[in-house]
Amino acid sequence: MTTENELKPHVTLDTIVSLCKRRGIIFPGSEIYEGLQGTYDYGPIGAELKKNVKNLWWKSMIYDRDDVEGIDCAILMNPKVWKASGHVDTFSDPLADSMGPSRKRYRADHVEPIECTAFEVIDVTDEGSEKRIEGAKIWAPSKKKAKEFYQTWWEKHLGLAGRRVKLEEVAGSTRVGRFSPDDGGELGEPRAFNLMLSTHCGPVADSAAKVYLRPETAQGMFVNYSNVQTSMRRKLPFGIAQMGRSFRNEITPKNFIFRTREFEQMEMEFFCKPGHLCKEGELTDDQWHEHWVEYRTNFYVKYGIRRDHLRFHYQTKEELAHYSKACCDIEFLFPLGWQELEGIANRTDYDLRMHMEHSGKDLKYFDQELNTHYVPYVIEPAAGVDRAVLAFLTDAYLEEQVKEDKRVVLKLHPELAPIKAAVFPLLKNRPELVEMARNLCREMKQSFYTVYDDTAAIGKLYRRQDEIGTPFCVTVDVDSLDDQAVTVRDRDSMQQVRIGIDKVRDYIAGELRGKS
Ligand code: GAP
């Protein structure tokens, strides 16, 4: 049996990135202007896939249950919200700059301390005399590495290109510390760098007009807790959910859509009774936490994530955010290794309390049964849309040998598949076949998203649809003119069946339902 730790990603990130570019799924943002770091654009196929992920989340969180309401809040909120939530004061990363010539900036906690020795640069003149270069101290684990740093960064920076130099070890300098892995410069003192992006509201761009682009969707639910509870006449426990854009000035956006500066979240705040007030038979906040971990795991598995590609990391006391009592990270085996896909936190009554304090509004709940007021506890499943898209793409990706050929196929769950069916005429120079195929496509569109294509030979058209995960391809051939039937090909089995043209729509609709 394979244990989760022995599992290796079955596909590289480069493979996924290149499929996404080739097939109109995801493009680098602003590409014709050399891009903008940390941004990506979803193409026609990707936009559809992302929309399906969001719709299924909405269905699972709101339509399939009767204890969650959906809302849609403004991205710009009163800056006091972010003061109350703690984002203004604590949503920051510790940044440290290299004192070497690259001046590169690092997340201090992402640079492992290592043992290095300082090497000084000695300029050897033509006459053979030696001159120390002031301020040129290269920290490296070996002389070889120091030479590498010198050649890539220091030589030019010091204006010594073409000169004879020596690197001399500084006696007794070896120590463990944080040094730039790029240029061997020592890292300066870390400084807190706030991750919120800001802009200005109104015509004057002064500090009074400063507003933030929300770094999470969650606060929209907290500030609307009372509005929703009273307008929808809700009793505890109940949840408020929303999905939408969030922005973070990530220092090192990387790994494709895994960590970007603009992304989408799907979050829900589930307001419940604090455990100590629960009577026999009522779920406590801890039990609701477990419920949501399981519910969200089942969501991913239902739509195609392999269960053994998921694991749970329960944060330790040291890892927990100050407002959390418990937090379970659902991790997925991404092409870059095990990483967080979704976090499910027990945020206690922290957020509502902070908003009560900062807004002066009473957000306590009146429990009629207990005849008392209290601040509800909150369980928060917080998912990233883009990370979910990457996870679904990863687990759906398959390379298969078909006779002498290799085929790439995205075995996406039918409800996630961007296009449900594609219709082709076998011969595009036969107007009767083209007309029949176009008519059939038009009819099928009434039930599910169908496309028409005649821009390549049939084999190529099949491969193209396989690569974007289209569950069914329909071919209109010469026989169709006589028998009024077409060939329907299944993406996964590649089996073909002959179906009467008047039954194709119902047949595919039934198959899609059956596979869901
Ligand atoms: N309200 C809690 C919250 O925002 P988080 O763990 O910071 O928690 C929740 O974010 C989810 O949002 C993450 O699990 C991840 O899927 C997604 N996410 C966070 N930062 C992201 C980024 N820079 N790029 C893409 N997705 C991100």
PDB file of all heavy atoms in Angstrom, residues 51-74:
ATOM      1  N   LYS A  51     -15.955  29.042 -13.492  1.00  0.00           N
ATOM      2  CA  LYS A  51     -17.362  29.328 -13.199  1.00  0.00           C
ATOM      3  C   LYS A  51     -18.036  28.050 -12.672  1.00  0.00           C
ATOM      4  O   LYS A  51     -18.826  28.102 -11.725  1.00  0.00           O
ATOM      5  CB  LYS A  51     -18.058  29.805 -14.484  1.00  0.00           C
ATOM      6  CG  LYS A  51     -19.471  30.315 -14.303  1.00  0.00           C
ATOM      7  CD  LYS A  51     -19.915  31.129 -15.503  1.00  0.00           C
ATOM      8  CE  LYS A  51     -19.969  30.336 -16.795  1.00  0.00           C
ATOM      9  NZ  LYS A  51     -20.959  29.268 -16.872  1.00  0.00           N
ATOM     10  N   ASN A  52     -17.691  26.913 -13.266  1.00  0.00           N
ATOM     11  CA  ASN A  52     -18.281  25.652 -12.802  1.00  0.00           C
ATOM     12  C   ASN A  52     -17.855  25.335 -11.369  1.00  0.00           C
ATOM     13  O   ASN A  52     -18.661  24.853 -10.568  1.00  0.00           O
ATOM     14  CB  ASN A  52     -17.897  24.501 -13.740  1.00  0.00           C
ATOM     15  CG  ASN A  52     -18.557  24.647 -15.109  1.00  0.00           C
ATOM     16  OD1 ASN A  52     -19.516  25.407 -15.257  1.00  0.00           O
ATOM     17  ND2 ASN A  52     -18.051  23.956 -16.107  1.00  0.00           N
ATOM     18  N   VAL A  53     -16.570  25.585 -11.051  1.00  0.00           N
ATOM     19  CA  VAL A  53     -16.090  25.341  -9.680  1.00  0.00           C
ATOM     20  C   VAL A  53     -16.904  26.195  -8.707  1.00  0.00           C
ATOM     21  O   VAL A  53     -17.397  25.710  -7.681  1.00  0.00           O
ATOM     22  CB  VAL A  53     -14.573  25.685  -9.553  1.00  0.00           C
ATOM     23  CG1 VAL A  53     -14.139  25.687  -8.091  1.00  0.00           C
ATOM     24  CG2 VAL A  53     -13.731  24.703 -10.352  1.00  0.00           C
ATOM     25  N   LYS A  54     -17.071  27.464  -9.069  1.00  0.00           N
ATOM     26  CA  LYS A  54     -17.787  28.375  -8.165  1.00  0.00           C
ATOM     27  C   LYS A  54     -19.263  27.981  -8.035  1.00  0.00           C
ATOM     28  O   LYS A  54     -19.829  27.976  -6.939  1.00  0.00           O
ATOM     29  CB  LYS A  54     -17.662  29.820  -8.666  1.00  0.00           C
ATOM     30  CG  LYS A  54     -16.225  30.317  -8.576  1.00  0.00           C
ATOM     31  CD  LYS A  54     -16.104  31.821  -8.634  1.00  0.00           C
ATOM     32  CE  LYS A  54     -16.552  32.418  -9.914  1.00  0.00           C
ATOM     33  NZ  LYS A  54     -16.358  33.870  -9.963  1.00  0.00           N
ATOM     34  N   ASN A  55     -19.874  27.625  -9.160  1.00  0.00           N
ATOM     35  CA  ASN A  55     -21.296  27.241  -9.114  1.00  0.00           C
ATOM     36  C   ASN A  55     -21.505  25.989  -8.253  1.00  0.00           C
ATOM     37  O   ASN A  55     -22.492  25.886  -7.516  1.00  0.00           O
ATOM     38  CB  ASN A  55     -21.836  26.976 -10.526  1.00  0.00           C
ATOM     39  CG  ASN A  55     -22.024  28.278 -11.286  1.00  0.00           C
ATOM     40  OD1 ASN A  55     -21.997  29.357 -10.702  1.00  0.00           O
ATOM     41  ND2 ASN A  55     -22.187  28.195 -12.595  1.00  0.00           N
ATOM     42  N   LEU A  56     -20.562  25.030  -8.371  1.00  0.00           N
ATOM     43  CA  LEU A  56     -20.719  23.800  -7.583  1.00  0.00           C
ATOM     44  C   LEU A  56     -20.514  24.082  -6.098  1.00  0.00           C
ATOM     45  O   LEU A  56     -21.168  23.479  -5.239  1.00  0.00           O
ATOM     46  CB  LEU A  56     -19.743  22.721  -8.079  1.00  0.00           C
ATOM     47  CG  LEU A  56     -20.081  22.172  -9.471  1.00  0.00           C
ATOM     48  CD1 LEU A  56     -18.985  21.241  -9.981  1.00  0.00           C
ATOM     49  CD2 LEU A  56     -21.430  21.433  -9.472  1.00  0.00           C
ATOM     50  N   TRP A  57     -19.586  24.992  -5.797  1.00  0.00           N
ATOM     51  CA  TRP A  57     -19.385  25.373  -4.390  1.00  0.00           C
ATOM     52  C   TRP A  57     -20.656  26.032  -3.843  1.00  0.00           C
ATOM     53  O   TRP A  57     -21.137  25.703  -2.764  1.00  0.00           O
ATOM     54  CB  TRP A  57     -18.189  26.333  -4.291  1.00  0.00           C
ATOM     55  CG  TRP A  57     -17.896  26.795  -2.883  1.00  0.00           C
ATOM     56  CD1 TRP A  57     -17.120  26.149  -1.964  1.00  0.00           C
ATOM     57  CD2 TRP A  57     -18.375  27.989  -2.241  1.00  0.00           C
ATOM     58  NE1 TRP A  57     -17.081  26.874  -0.787  1.00  0.00           N
ATOM     59  CE2 TRP A  57     -17.842  28.008  -0.933  1.00  0.00           C
ATOM     60  CE3 TRP A  57     -19.183  29.053  -2.642  1.00  0.00           C
ATOM     61  CZ2 TRP A  57     -18.098  29.039  -0.028  1.00  0.00           C
ATOM     62  CZ3 TRP A  57     -19.438  30.081  -1.728  1.00  0.00           C
ATOM     63  CH2 TRP A  57     -18.899  30.063  -0.435  1.00  0.00           C
ATOM     64  N   TRP A  58     -21.222  26.942  -4.641  1.00  0.00           N
ATOM     65  CA  TRP A  58     -22.450  27.654  -4.222  1.00  0.00           C
ATOM     66  C   TRP A  58     -23.582  26.662  -4.003  1.00  0.00           C
ATOM     67  O   TRP A  58     -24.328  26.738  -3.024  1.00  0.00           O
ATOM     68  CB  TRP A  58     -22.806  28.684  -5.302  1.00  0.00           C
ATOM     69  CG  TRP A  58     -23.838  29.688  -4.901  1.00  0.00           C
ATOM     70  CD1 TRP A  58     -25.174  29.624  -5.159  1.00  0.00           C
ATOM     71  CD2 TRP A  58     -23.637  30.910  -4.180  1.00  0.00           C
ATOM     72  NE1 TRP A  58     -25.810  30.735  -4.656  1.00  0.00           N
ATOM     73  CE2 TRP A  58     -24.893  31.549  -4.048  1.00  0.00           C
ATOM     74  CE3 TRP A  58     -22.513  31.539  -3.643  1.00  0.00           C
ATOM     75  CZ2 TRP A  58     -25.048  32.775  -3.388  1.00  0.00           C
ATOM     76  CZ3 TRP A  58     -22.672  32.762  -2.990  1.00  0.00           C
ATOM     77  CH2 TRP A  58     -23.929  33.360  -2.874  1.00  0.00           C
ATOM     78  N   LYS A  59     -23.667  25.693  -4.929  1.00  0.00           N
ATOM     79  CA  LYS A  59     -24.727  24.679  -4.819  1.00  0.00           C
ATOM     80  C   LYS A  59     -24.518  23.873  -3.532  1.00  0.00           C
ATOM     81  O   LYS A  59     -25.460  23.670  -2.759  1.00  0.00           O
ATOM     82  CB  LYS A  59     -24.674  23.756  -6.049  1.00  0.00           C
ATOM     83  CG  LYS A  59     -25.630  22.586  -6.007  1.00  0.00           C
ATOM     84  CD  LYS A  59     -25.564  21.789  -7.316  1.00  0.00           C
ATOM     85  CE  LYS A  59     -26.484  20.587  -7.288  1.00  0.00           C
ATOM     86  NZ  LYS A  59     -26.125  19.587  -6.288  1.00  0.00           N
ATOM     87  N   SER A  60     -23.279  23.443  -3.324  1.00  0.00           N
ATOM     88  CA  SER A  60     -23.007  22.586  -2.171  1.00  0.00           C
ATOM     89  C   SER A  60     -23.194  23.341  -0.846  1.00  0.00           C
ATOM     90  O   SER A  60     -23.656  22.765   0.141  1.00  0.00           O
ATOM     91  CB  SER A  60     -21.581  22.048  -2.296  1.00  0.00           C
ATOM     92  OG  SER A  60     -20.980  21.885  -1.058  1.00  0.00           O
ATOM     93  N   MET A  61     -22.852  24.631  -0.830  1.00  0.00           N
ATOM     94  CA  MET A  61     -22.911  25.386   0.423  1.00  0.00           C
ATOM     95  C   MET A  61     -24.298  25.973   0.690  1.00  0.00           C
ATOM     96  O   MET A  61     -24.681  26.145   1.846  1.00  0.00           O
ATOM     97  CB  MET A  61     -21.879  26.531   0.418  1.00  0.00           C
ATOM     98  CG  MET A  61     -20.457  26.073   0.280  1.00  0.00           C
ATOM     99  SD  MET A  61     -19.933  24.959   1.580  1.00  0.00           S
ATOM    100  CE  MET A  61     -19.376  26.099   2.815  1.00  0.00           C
ATOM    101  N   ILE A  62     -25.006  26.322  -0.394  1.00  0.00           N
ATOM    102  CA  ILE A  62     -26.272  27.029  -0.174  1.00  0.00           C
ATOM    103  C   ILE A  62     -27.496  26.222  -0.609  1.00  0.00           C
ATOM    104  O   ILE A  62     -28.362  25.910   0.204  1.00  0.00           O
ATOM    105  CB  ILE A  62     -26.221  28.413  -0.842  1.00  0.00           C
ATOM    106  CG1 ILE A  62     -25.193  29.248  -0.066  1.00  0.00           C
ATOM    107  CG2 ILE A  62     -27.580  29.120  -0.809  1.00  0.00           C
ATOM    108  CD1 ILE A  62     -24.457  30.230  -0.844  1.00  0.00           C
ATOM    109  N   TYR A  63     -27.535  25.815  -1.885  1.00  0.00           N
ATOM    110  CA  TYR A  63     -28.747  25.134  -2.370  1.00  0.00           C
ATOM    111  C   TYR A  63     -28.947  23.757  -1.727  1.00  0.00           C
ATOM    112  O   TYR A  63     -30.067  23.332  -1.493  1.00  0.00           O
ATOM    113  CB  TYR A  63     -28.707  24.958  -3.889  1.00  0.00           C
ATOM    114  CG  TYR A  63     -28.600  26.247  -4.683  1.00  0.00           C
ATOM    115  CD1 TYR A  63     -28.091  26.241  -5.972  1.00  0.00           C
ATOM    116  CD2 TYR A  63     -29.015  27.472  -4.142  1.00  0.00           C
ATOM    117  CE1 TYR A  63     -27.985  27.415  -6.705  1.00  0.00           C
ATOM    118  CE2 TYR A  63     -28.903  28.645  -4.871  1.00  0.00           C
ATOM    119  CZ  TYR A  63     -28.390  28.613  -6.144  1.00  0.00           C
ATOM    120  OH  TYR A  63     -28.279  29.767  -6.869  1.00  0.00           O
ATOM    121  N   ASP A  64     -27.833  23.023  -1.501  1.00  0.00           N
ATOM    122  CA  ASP A  64     -27.972  21.664  -0.957  1.00  0.00           C
ATOM    123  C   ASP A  64     -28.269  21.647   0.541  1.00  0.00           C
ATOM    124  O   ASP A  64     -28.489  20.591   1.121  1.00  0.00           O
ATOM    125  CB  ASP A  64     -26.696  20.848  -1.200  1.00  0.00           C
ATOM    126  CG  ASP A  64     -26.506  20.498  -2.666  1.00  0.00           C
ATOM    127  OD1 ASP A  64     -27.434  20.770  -3.453  1.00  0.00           O
ATOM    128  OD2 ASP A  64     -25.445  19.966  -3.029  1.00  0.00           O
ATOM    129  N   ARG A  65     -28.198  22.812   1.193  1.00  0.00           N
ATOM    130  CA  ARG A  65     -28.409  22.850   2.645  1.00  0.00           C
ATOM    131  C   ARG A  65     -29.536  23.825   2.946  1.00  0.00           C
ATOM    132  O   ARG A  65     -29.952  24.575   2.074  1.00  0.00           O
ATOM    133  CB  ARG A  65     -27.139  23.351   3.350  1.00  0.00           C
ATOM    134  CG  ARG A  65     -25.897  22.562   3.025  1.00  0.00           C
ATOM    135  CD  ARG A  65     -24.698  23.100   3.777  1.00  0.00           C
ATOM    136  NE  ARG A  65     -24.886  23.060   5.216  1.00  0.00           N
ATOM    137  CZ  ARG A  65     -24.342  22.149   6.033  1.00  0.00           C
ATOM    138  NH1 ARG A  65     -23.542  21.232   5.557  1.00  0.00           N
ATOM    139  NH2 ARG A  65     -24.581  22.175   7.338  1.00  0.00           N
ATOM    140  N   ASP A  66     -29.967  23.837   4.188  1.00  0.00           N
ATOM    141  CA  ASP A  66     -30.956  24.864   4.498  1.00  0.00           C
ATOM    142  C   ASP A  66     -30.498  25.731   5.662  1.00  0.00           C
ATOM    143  O   ASP A  66     -31.298  26.400   6.302  1.00  0.00           O
ATOM    144  CB  ASP A  66     -32.344  24.258   4.746  1.00  0.00           C
ATOM    145  CG  ASP A  66     -32.287  23.167   5.784  1.00  0.00           C
ATOM    146  OD1 ASP A  66     -31.279  23.137   6.523  1.00  0.00           O
ATOM    147  OD2 ASP A  66     -33.225  22.348   5.854  1.00  0.00           O
ATOM    148  N   ASP A  67     -29.175  25.699   5.916  1.00  0.00           N
ATOM    149  CA  ASP A  67     -28.702  26.517   7.037  1.00  0.00           C
ATOM    150  C   ASP A  67     -27.645  27.540   6.625  1.00  0.00           C
ATOM    151  O   ASP A  67     -26.907  28.034   7.468  1.00  0.00           O
ATOM    152  CB  ASP A  67     -28.160  25.614   8.170  1.00  0.00           C
ATOM    153  CG  ASP A  67     -27.097  24.629   7.696  1.00  0.00           C
ATOM    154  OD1 ASP A  67     -26.766  24.645   6.484  1.00  0.00           O
ATOM    155  OD2 ASP A  67     -26.588  23.842   8.522  1.00  0.00           O
ATOM    156  N   VAL A  68     -27.560  27.841   5.322  1.00  0.00           N
ATOM    157  CA  VAL A  68     -26.566  28.830   4.885  1.00  0.00           C
ATOM    158  C   VAL A  68     -27.203  29.818   3.905  1.00  0.00           C
ATOM    159  O   VAL A  68     -27.944  29.415   3.005  1.00  0.00           O
ATOM    160  CB  VAL A  68     -25.345  28.144   4.210  1.00  0.00           C
ATOM    161  CG1 VAL A  68     -24.302  29.193   3.799  1.00  0.00           C
ATOM    162  CG2 VAL A  68     -24.701  27.114   5.130  1.00  0.00           C
ATOM    163  N   GLU A  69     -26.911  31.121   4.102  1.00  0.00           N
ATOM    164  CA  GLU A  69     -27.378  32.162   3.182  1.00  0.00           C
ATOM    165  C   GLU A  69     -26.189  32.672   2.371  1.00  0.00           C
ATOM    166  O   GLU A  69     -25.084  32.790   2.908  1.00  0.00           O
ATOM    167  CB  GLU A  69     -27.957  33.360   3.968  1.00  0.00           C
ATOM    168  CG  GLU A  69     -29.085  33.020   4.913  1.00  0.00           C
ATOM    169  CD  GLU A  69     -30.426  32.831   4.213  1.00  0.00           C
ATOM    170  OE1 GLU A  69     -30.496  33.000   2.977  1.00  0.00           O
ATOM    171  OE2 GLU A  69     -31.406  32.511   4.918  1.00  0.00           O
ATOM    172  N   GLY A  70     -26.434  33.005   1.102  1.00  0.00           N
ATOM    173  CA  GLY A  70     -25.361  33.550   0.272  1.00  0.00           C
ATOM    174  C   GLY A  70     -25.472  35.057   0.151  1.00  0.00           C
ATOM    175  O   GLY A  70     -26.577  35.594   0.055  1.00  0.00           O
ATOM    176  N   ILE A  71     -24.337  35.747   0.197  1.00  0.00           N
ATOM    177  CA  ILE A  71     -24.353  37.205   0.000  1.00  0.00           C
ATOM    178  C   ILE A  71     -23.249  37.596  -0.990  1.00  0.00           C
ATOM    179  O   ILE A  71     -22.446  36.744  -1.403  1.00  0.00           O
ATOM    180  CB  ILE A  71     -24.181  37.999   1.320  1.00  0.00           C
ATOM    181  CG1 ILE A  71     -22.844  37.665   1.991  1.00  0.00           C
ATOM    182  CG2 ILE A  71     -25.332  37.724   2.260  1.00  0.00           C
ATOM    183  CD1 ILE A  71     -22.505  38.585   3.166  1.00  0.00           C
ATOM    184  N   ASP A  72     -23.216  38.866  -1.348  1.00  0.00           N
ATOM    185  CA  ASP A  72     -22.222  39.343  -2.306  1.00  0.00           C
ATOM    186  C   ASP A  72     -21.858  40.781  -1.920  1.00  0.00           C
ATOM    187  O   ASP A  72     -22.617  41.703  -2.198  1.00  0.00           O
ATOM    188  CB  ASP A  72     -22.841  39.283  -3.717  1.00  0.00           C
ATOM    189  CG  ASP A  72     -21.848  39.648  -4.798  1.00  0.00           C
ATOM    190  OD1 ASP A  72     -20.660  39.839  -4.473  1.00  0.00           O
ATOM    191  OD2 ASP A  72     -22.268  39.734  -5.968  1.00  0.00           O
ATOM    192  N   CYS A  73     -20.736  40.942  -1.247  1.00  0.00           N
ATOM    193  CA  CYS A  73     -20.388  42.258  -0.662  1.00  0.00           C
ATOM    194  C   CYS A  73     -19.438  43.048  -1.554  1.00  0.00           C
ATOM    195  O   CYS A  73     -18.787  42.493  -2.430  1.00  0.00           O
ATOM    196  CB  CYS A  73     -19.685  42.066   0.675  1.00  0.00           C
ATOM    197  SG  CYS A  73     -20.637  41.132   1.847  1.00  0.00           S
ATOM    198  N   ALA A  74     -19.337  44.347  -1.231  1.00  0.00           N
ATOM    199  CA  ALA A  74     -18.406  45.229  -1.948  1.00  0.00           C
ATOM    200  C   ALA A  74     -16.970  44.845  -1.615  1.00  0.00           C
ATOM    201  O   ALA A  74     -16.679  44.421  -0.493  1.00  0.00           O
ATOM    202  CB  ALA A  74     -18.663  46.671  -1.536  1.00  0.00           C
TER     203      ALA A  74
END
